[in-house]
Amino acid sequence: MTKFNDFKARMIDYILNENLKLTLFSIILGLLSGAVILAIAGFNPIEAYRLMIVGMLGSPRGIAWTIVQSTPLILTGLSVAFAFRTGLFNIGVEGQFIIGALATTLAGYFLRLPAIIHIPVALLIGMIAAGLWASFAGYLKAKFGVHEVIATIMLNWIALYLNNYALEFNAFRRPSSESSHRIQETASIAITWLRDIVGPAVKVNWGIVIALVIAIIVHYILFNTTLGFQLRAVGYNRDASEYGGINVNRNIIVSMGIAGMLSGAAGAVHVMGVSRQVSVLAAMEGFGFNGIAVSLIGNNSPIGVVFSAILFGGINYGGRNMQNIGVPTEIINIVIGSIIFYIASYKLLQIILRKASRKSGKGGNLHVK
Amino acid sequence: MLNNIALIISITLMYSTPLIYAALGGVISEKSGVVNIGLEGMMTIGAFAGAATGALTGNPWLAFLVAGLSGGIFGLLHAIASVTFHANQVVSGIAINFLAPGLALFISRRIFNGATMTPLIPLENKMPLPFSNIFRSLHNQGRFGNVFARNSIVDLIFNQYVTVYIAFILVAILWFLLYKTKFGLRIRAVGEHPKAADTLGVNVYGLRYFCVIASGVLAGLGGASLSLAIVSTFRATLVSGQGFIALAAVIFGKWKPQGALAACLLFGLATGLRIYLGGSAVGLDVSQNLLSMLPYVITLVVLVGFVGKAVAPASVGLPYEKSDK
């Protein structure tokens, strides 16, 4: 019983945590900013947001789509968050995602295996390929001092053209199409019976389970292992870590590698659960940049990332419903951008919150440095 | 052969120009201690505002100005967050990258009947080619043979859009400003050691505001140099990543205007080579996709082989709090 009370106290502590309060406040302000822009553009914001929420949560179909949309975002968000925690800015999620998706499609199409082996093998191949891809950027940083931001930006584009190059081969490209052959049924993680219920167009899949398991593993690695401690120490203060006997260069490579594996898992899950193929890319699809947003809204913590990915996936899917009254879908990016802007300007929020709590005479526990 | 080289140089100049503007923006902002990842978004809003104004008014210079202003507005937003409210500058920049393109497409759809592409700007309303008339009349006088003919070497290299010349002039101006004036010394001091600068009476916040807004203006102009000169419209994929490449050029060029220029030219050259090698003139039997990797691979190789560890301004990325004094 005491154990339960202890747990309850910790949960309440967590919920009332200042960071979380500021994040929620940022989300509200972001939605308000979106409302102002909607009003200026001549739309009824209340009606627009009502449509969004109905789109997200109004039907089993909407909920299913929200989950499907948030699955890769959980993983790309984790990738960015993991790198951030270790002092690296992984702007290369996009390319790692592409490599993961490509490798998984190759494994999913060319290998002939029973499902119980095929699925984990295809997933692992995607993760490992993307992990190696990303750790190359880590290697360039560790060995030659090449800034990871430049290296990963370049690798993003190289990945995009590599994907398109792979689709030049007849063995891989589906005839008279811009796409590869579809992966074998044995590599699919679709939940067929659920698709029968919510509609075959909704690509319900086991990816969400994979993503949640990986989120737990990442949380464990970061906060319960020596490796995680070392990685965070390097992120917190590189010089002190070096002095403390941590091999900083090795940690940079390992950290980028793990971040890449997470992005690769996003690509793999996307292929095995939703797209079943890769296609010729004309431009970046934005998985990486959305991952950065998810990570930031989730305060770079694995648990936060899960919630923020679901929020992001929901707004993204539900937001399209606003088109019913003619609202351009770009309003979604404006709302997301505003939320991130307010999160960045946390000091502004602290001031507002403090004034508010003073006014109500509660004398809040928020303090401005 | 010479003509081919001239062609490559011409493409190099064309593709480097938008990058040069944005990279200069990155340099001035980072010199003052503020990281600007939002260059991409600022380029996008500039490209849109320029093309939209150009299409609606037919005046390219007004369009160029509006593009700079719209970039500057987002620079101001970035400054408010990162200077006044001590935001994490990377986070604030990413917010700009969602906000600015989002707003550009939102407004585009509102103004142009749901289209994310602005109407085409007629050729005569694009940014001018300032030397074109001189070249044509010299050629027509016939005294110089074919030196000034269309697609001659001189024509290919020197008959560029006015935005190209402005970009080069801006590099010189920014270099002069940063390294030859008291104002520039103050900017650098603020980026290296804000506390010391503050103690000496330099207005840290004011200078950072100026530099971040200037960086938005420059990025906006870079976007417009795409949508008003290289092409004559704005579309959703127009900027696609060039702001990030400009950011890479800032780091690559070691936070110096001339370095950033060199980095942008290298990138443009690699693009020029790709287009030349893939074109019918050479007809190299290599996949276009492999050739397209060239600029990025060359950049990585050069970074590894020829550029040592780059040193950023000491206080870049760190918010400055006056009370720390």
Side-chain angles (χ1 to χ4, degrees):
Chain A
M1 197 60 202
T2 45
K3 220 171 190 178
F4 175 73
N5 277 337
D6 191 40
F7 174 75
K8 205 168 80 176
R10 269 171 53 197
M11 278 317 285
I12 291 171
D13 226 36
Y14 178 74
I15 291 167
L16 295 181
N17 169 301
E18 181 174 287
N19 271 332
L20 188 69
K21 230 189 270 177
L22 290 174
T23 304
L24 293 177
F25 194 42
S26 301
I27 293 171
I28 294 167
L29 279 181
L31 288 167
L32 281 176
S33 305
V36 169
I37 289 169
L38 283 171
I40 292 173
F43 299 106
N44 177 352
I46 297 170
E47 176 62 10
Y49 281 149
R50 192 189 66 80
L51 284 171
M52 179 175 86
I53 292 167
V54 167
M56 268 164 83
L57 303 168
S59 64
R61 186 189 149 82
I63 295 170
W65 261 125
T66 295
I67 292 172
V68 171
Q69 293 256 332
S70 43
T71 302
L73 291 173
I74 293 176
L75 292 164
T76 53
L78 282 174
S79 172
V80 178
F82 190 87
F84 259 134
R85 287 271 171 180
T86 61
L88 294 167
F89 183 32
N90 184 13
I91 209 163
V93 176
E94 202 78 48
Q96 295 146 20
F97 183 98
I98 294 172
I99 295 295
L102 177 63
T104 295
T105 310
L106 287 167
Y109 173 64
F110 285 110
L111 295 180
R112 296 281 193 276
L113 294 164
I116 195 151
I117 305 172
H118 205 170
I119 291 170
V121 164
L123 175 67
L124 274 178
I125 287 179
M127 288 176 75
I128 290 168
L132 290 174
W133 187 260
S135 58
F136 180 60
Y139 173 77
L140 291 180
K141 183 180 177 104
K143 178 97 189 188
F144 301 102
V146 177
H147 202 295
E148 79 271 15
V149 167
I150 313 189
T152 52
I153 289 171
M154 299 302 143
L155 286 172
N156 279 348
W157 290 96
I158 297 172
L160 182 134
Y161 290 113
L162 196 66
N163 173 78
N164 293 354
Y165 180 61
L167 286 165
E168 284 179 14
F169 292 92
N170 287 332
F172 188 46
R173 187 188 192 122
R174 206 166 55 213
S176 62
S177 81
E178 290 280 284
S179 304
S180 68
H181 283 286
R182 294 206 175 87
I183 57 168
Q184 310 288 337
E185 213 46 63
T186 47
S188 163
I189 54 170
I191 310 178
T192 351
W193 54 268
L194 200 55
R195 283 189 185 180
D196 295 341
I197 299 171
V198 289
V202 193
K203 308 282 184 202
V204 220
N205 63 74
W206 289 110
I208 186 70
V209 179
I210 297 174
L212 290 177
V213 169
I214 291 178
I216 293 166
I217 296 173
V218 169
H219 181 88
Y220 183 81
I221 292 178
L222 269 180
F223 299 105
N224 294 68
T225 65
T226 319
L227 174 71
F229 173 76
Q230 288 195 355
L231 292 173
R232 283 187 297 135
V234 172
Y236 198 71
N237 188 332
R238 181 174 299 175
D239 298 327
S241 314
E242 186 102 62
Y243 185 69
I246 295 175
N247 184 341
V248 171
N249 281 344
R250 192 191 66 112
N251 270 298
I252 289 173
I253 300 172
V254 169
S255 171
M256 277 310 284
I258 295 176
M261 286 177 81
L262 295 168
S263 313
V269 160
H270 182 69
V271 163
M272 295 193 297
V274 178
S275 69
R276 302 192 59 200
Q277 64 189 18
V278 287
S279 303
V280 172
L281 296 168
M284 297 290 173
E285 293 180 289
F287 286 104
F289 294 108
N290 292 344
I292 296 172
V294 165
S295 172
L296 293 173
I297 297 175
N299 198 25
N300 298 330
S301 96
I303 299 167
V305 162
V306 170
F307 286 107
S308 101
I310 292 170
L311 174 80
F312 198 115
I315 293 182
N316 239 333
Y317 176 72
R320 288 180 208 165
N321 222 16
M322 291 195 272
Q323 280 174 306
N324 289 351
I325 53 168
V327 177
T329 50
E330 282 75 22
I331 190 70
I332 298 162
N333 281 342
I334 297 175
V335 169
I336 300 277
S338 311
I339 295 173
I340 301 172
F341 185 80
Y342 292 118
I343 287 178
S345 315
Y346 70 99
K347 203 135 197 176
L348 164 76
L349 304 188
Q350 278 183 332
I351 294 167
I352 297 174
L353 280 178
R354 199 173 59 158
K355 284 209 171 127
S357 64
R358 253 203 214 135
K359 245 181 204 158
S360 61
K362 275 183 200 153
N365 55 352
L366 296 165
H367 45 95
V368 178
K369 207 165 77 176
Chain B
M1 189 58 207
L2 274 178
N3 254 29
N4 287 335
I5 293 173
L7 180 71
I8 294 172
I9 294 174
S10 157
I11 301 173
T12 303
L13 290 172
M14 186 164 104
Y15 279 91
S16 319
T17 299
L19 299 176
I20 294 171
Y21 285 97
L24 289 179
V27 167
I28 191 169
S29 165
E30 303 219 350
K31 273 286 184 216
S32 77
V34 181
V35 174
N36 191 353
I37 297 231
L39 288 176
E40 172 88 6
M42 294 169 182
M43 277 184 94
T44 310
I45 194 85
F48 166 71
T53 313
L56 294 175
T57 66
N59 183 338
W61 290 107
L62 179 69
F64 202 54
L65 193 72
V66 171
L69 282 177
S70 66
I73 290 171
F74 281 89
L76 174 66
L77 263 184
H78 187 45
I80 292 173
S82 53
V83 180
T84 303
F85 293 115
H86 305 159
N88 179 324
Q89 297 164 3
V90 171
V91 180
S92 163
I94 287 165
I96 302 286
N97 282 341
F98 275 91
L99 279 172
L103 211 58
L105 294 175
F106 186 88
I107 298 173
S108 174
R109 283 192 204 266
R110 278 311 271 171
I111 305 183
F112 301 111
N113 300 323
T116 55
M117 204 175 141
T118 59
L120 284 177
I121 300 166
L123 227 64
E124 65 274 15
N125 289 346
K126 286 173 71 168
M127 292 307 283
L129 294 146
F131 298 124
S132 195
N133 285 334
I134 302 174
F135 283 13
R136 294 298 164 262
S137 72
L138 283 174
H139 178 61
N140 290 341
Q141 286 167 20
R143 267 185 288 177
F144 298 94
N146 281 328
V147 174
F148 290 103
R150 236 172 255 272
N151 290 328
S152 65
I153 295 165
V154 175
D155 181 56
L156 280 174
I157 299 178
F158 294 103
N159 193 7
Q160 302 281 348
Y161 286 104
V162 67
T163 43
V164 177
Y165 306 104
I166 297 175
F168 278 85
I169 293 167
L170 283 173
V171 174
I173 292 177
L174 188 60
W175 173 82
F176 186 81
L177 179 81
L178 282 176
Y179 296 104
K180 300 289 160 192
T181 66
K182 205 164 153 192
F183 188 64
L185 182 68
R186 287 183 173 168
I187 291 176
R188 287 184 291 139
V190 162
E192 291 289 341
H193 206 314
K195 206 182 288 183
D198 197 356
T199 318
L200 294 172
V202 175
N203 183 348
V204 177
Y205 285 10
L207 276 180
R208 287 194 170 173
Y209 259 87
F210 173 81
C211 290
V212 178
I213 294 171
S215 112
V217 171
L218 286 165
L221 295 180
S225 76
L226 268 169
S227 66
L228 289 169
I230 296 178
V231 295
S232 44
T233 177
F234 168 83
R235 52 176 186 271
T237 55
L238 185 66
V239 175
S240 68
Q242 299 197 57
F244 288 101
I245 291 165
L247 190 71
V250 173
I251 303 174
F252 198 179
K254 300 193 173 179
W255 288 270
K256 293 186 176 118
Q258 66 274 29
L261 170 71
C264 295
L265 286 175
L266 175 79
F267 203 84
L269 175 66
T271 309
L273 279 178
R274 169 185 64 112
I275 292 173
Y276 171 70
L277 291 175
S280 52
V282 181
L284 207 62
D285 193 23
V286 176
S287 151
Q288 274 298 328
N289 285 314
L290 288 183
L291 282 176
S292 298
M293 290 179 197
L294 207 61
Y296 311 100
V297 174
I298 290 179
T299 304
L300 277 180
V301 170
V302 172
L303 274 174
V304 169
F306 302 101
V307 184
K309 231 183 174 104
V311 181
S315 289
V316 80
L318 303 173
Y320 178 65
E321 300 190 39
K322 231 175 156 53
S323 54
D324 274 357
K325 223 179 347 187

